[in-house]
Amino acid sequence: MEVKECLKTRRSVRQFTEQEVDPQLIEDIIETVSFSPSWKNTQITRYAAVTGELKERIASECTAQYAHNGDIIRNAPVLMVQYFVTKRSGFERDGSYSTTKEGAWQMYDAGISAANFCNAAHDQGLATVILGIFDYDKTAKLLGLDETKEVSVLIPLGYAAEEPSVPRKKGVSDLLTFLS
C-alpha cells in the first residue's frame, strides 16, 4: 500500500472480530516500526502484546476513568501496550535536558512510533485505536515495568468489525502557512 493511501484509509476502530492475530504478524509490524525516527536514535519505544487474563485485568482495573476503553480492550484480540525507556530521549548523557522541552521528547518519540505502528498494522489488514485515558501507573505495575520504563498508550489490535466513516479533515489552507 502506498503511504498516501495508508494515511487516507486508516481509521480508529473500536469494534473487532474474534479472529486471532498471528504473533508473526505482530512481529512483522514491530520490525517495520523499528525504523521510526527517534531523538538522537535513542530508540526508546517498546511494545508488549497482551492477551488473556492480563488483558482482562488491564481492561477491568485500569479503565475506571473511562469505562468504554475497558470494553474496547476486551473486544480486541490483542492489546498492545506501548511504553518507553525514560530519561534518554531529550536528555544528555549526564541526565540534563537537551532543550527547553525537557522530557517531552519522550512522548514525541512515542507518538511517532504509535502512529507508525497503527499505519503498519493497517498495511497488514489490521485495525487499531490509540487509547490515552487509563491508569498509566497501574498498567505499568501489572506489566511488571520498573521505574526506568513509562507506559505511553494502549493500542487495541485486531481485525475490524466496523468501517468508521471518514471524519471531517481541515484543508491545507487551515494547516499550512508559508513564511519568508
Side-chain angles (χ1 to χ4, degrees):
M1 175 181 314
E2 295 292 320
V3 172
K4 190 170 186 175
E5 178 187 356
C6 185
L7 293 174
K8 284 185 157 189
T9 60
R10 189 225 159 248
R11 299 284 169 268
S12 292
V13 171
R14 293 166 178 84
Q15 293 291 323
F16 302 90
T17 69
E18 293 180 8
Q19 182 179 349
E20 291 185 18
V21 177
D22 184 343
Q24 183 59 56
L25 197 52
I26 297 171
E27 289 180 13
D28 291 347
I29 292 166
I30 296 300
E31 191 272 332
T32 300
V33 172
S34 74
F35 288 92
S36 297
S38 62
W39 175 275
K40 295 184 180 182
N41 199 34
T42 50
Q43 303 177 53
I44 63 168
T45 309
R46 307 289 188 270
Y47 291 87
V50 181
T51 59
E53 183 183 331
L54 183 56
K55 181 173 74 93
E56 176 56 37
R57 285 193 68 192
I58 292 170
S60 297
E61 299 175 28
C62 301
T63 61
Q65 293 171 288
Y66 187 63
H68 184 57
N69 280 348
D71 298 334
I72 296 167
I73 292 166
R74 280 185 199 91
N75 180 252
V78 179
L79 175 63
M80 300 300 297
V81 179
Q82 184 200 61
Y83 61 98
F84 57 85
V85 179
T86 60
K87 298 184 180 172
R88 291 207 178 127
S89 181
F91 292 82
E92 295 300 317
R93 291 188 189 274
D94 66 4
S96 64
Y97 298 121
S98 300
T99 76
T100 57
K101 294 289 184 186
E102 300 182 346
W105 280 101
Q106 299 173 124
M107 287 300 285
Y108 191 83
D109 283 357
I112 292 169
S113 182
N116 285 338
F117 179 91
C118 292
N119 288 322
H122 177 56
D123 185 53
Q124 295 290 336
L126 293 166
T128 57
V129 62
I130 296 174
L131 305 179
I133 305 173
F134 62 95
D135 187 327
Y136 293 79
D137 294 336
K138 176 81 178 222
T139 303
K141 184 177 179 181
L142 288 174
L143 289 174
L145 301 180
D146 65 29
E147 67 279 349
T148 67
K149 312 285 187 316
E150 186 175 319
V151 174
S152 42
V153 295
L154 303 178
I155 306 175
L157 173 71
Y159 293 93
E162 65 177 349
E163 290 187 38
S165 61
V166 179
R168 185 183 161 285
K169 298 295 181 182
K170 293 182 180 187
V172 173
S173 63
D174 294 322
L175 303 173
L176 176 65
T177 302
F178 287 100
L179 304 170
S180 61

